[in-house]
Amino acid sequence: NAGVMQNPRHLVRRRGQEARLRCSPMKGHSHVYWYRQLPEEGLKFMVYLQKENIIDESGMPKERFSAEFPKEGPSILRIQQVVRGDSAAYFCASSPLGPDTGELFFGEGSRLTVL
Amino acid sequence: KNQVEQSPQSLIILEGKNCTLQCNYTVSPFSNLRWYKQDTGRGPVSLTIMTFSENTKSNGRYTATLDADTKQSSLHITASQLSDSASYICVVSAQGQAGTALIFGKGTTLSVSS
């Protein structure tokens, strides 16, 4: 059973470009979470999705950021018109149950660098 | 406000020694407490998860304790190895708060030297 798969592992973008980060959850997991981690900082919650639905996006900036988890295919975190402050590691996690009871399994992260 | 505080922020120990990491939290209503290990450049990996009724839980050389009354947890590492060098993250879960149910500490960075 493969773990949570994230790609790309590393992404470099220039200011103003778009970044798309993909996350395939573990088999059988319908709950997906996205977190952002800045250097020397803890993980910060961004968005929680459950197949085709956004359950909680309270941690996601209102502009330029969007997330989806379609019926088929991976979850995608999309950042439009990137700025240098978007440079960070973005981690995806999945669980078979909701966040307060289900164990979370993390991917290896996607490291975005904005030039 | 739900918060998780970890101490120390960083720690250096010699290989073979034991160490204890601390986690204090103010999270309500409490659901469970988890410890994760995050190697540099990697994703966090679960070590233990404890509910309200569990006082201690072991995973190999890692032993976690939970005192729900004082809202404190500790992670004890026995006979440390170089591969234990990592960030250890305490995560407390609040009941029924959707995506923000998980409150992450900033982690303790452990360096094990030979």
Side-chain angles (χ1 to χ4, degrees), chain B residues 37-57:
Chain B
K37 178 187 179 188
Q38 185 176 22
D39 292 316
T40 301
R42 308 292 297 273
V45 175
S46 178
L47 294 175
T48 64
I49 178 169
M50 289 187 293
T51 59
F52 185 89
S53 59
E54 295 176 295
N55 299 120
T56 185
K57 204 160 196 177

Side-chain angles (χ1 to χ4, degrees), chain A residues 15-72:
Chain A
R15 281 180 297 169
Q17 292 184 317
E18 178 180 287
R20 283 195 181 213
L21 311 178
R22 295 173 190 79
C23 169
S24 295
M26 287 182 69
K27 187 176 181 181
H29 289 193
S30 60
H31 301 257
V32 166
Y33 317 81
W34 285 94
Y35 294 88
R36 178 162 63 178
Q37 187 174 39
L38 294 169
E40 312 302 322
E41 293 285 327
L43 287 148
K44 301 293 185 189
F45 167 76
M46 297 183 72
V47 61
Y48 161 39
L49 309 103
Q50 188 180 2
K51 272 300 181 184
E52 300 185 86
N53 295 306
I54 296 175
I55 307 301
D56 183 352
E57 56 182 348
S58 58
M60 201 152 67
K62 293 287 187 284
E63 297 179 350
R64 302 187 299 109
F65 285 74
S66 63
E68 62 177 12
F69 189 14
K71 187 177 180 180
E72 302 290 337

Side-chain angles (χ1 to χ4, degrees), chain B residues 53-90:
Chain B
S53 59
E54 295 176 295
N55 299 120
T56 185
K57 204 160 196 177
S58 292
N59 178 359
R61 295 180 295 103
Y62 301 102
T63 300
T65 65
L66 173 64
D67 186 336
D69 292 330
T70 61
K71 298 188 178 181
Q72 296 179 325
S73 175
S74 65
L75 180 69
H76 186 74
I77 304 174
T78 305
S80 61
Q81 300 175 359
L82 297 177
S83 59
D84 292 331
S85 295
S87 177
Y88 292 84
I89 305 168
C90 176

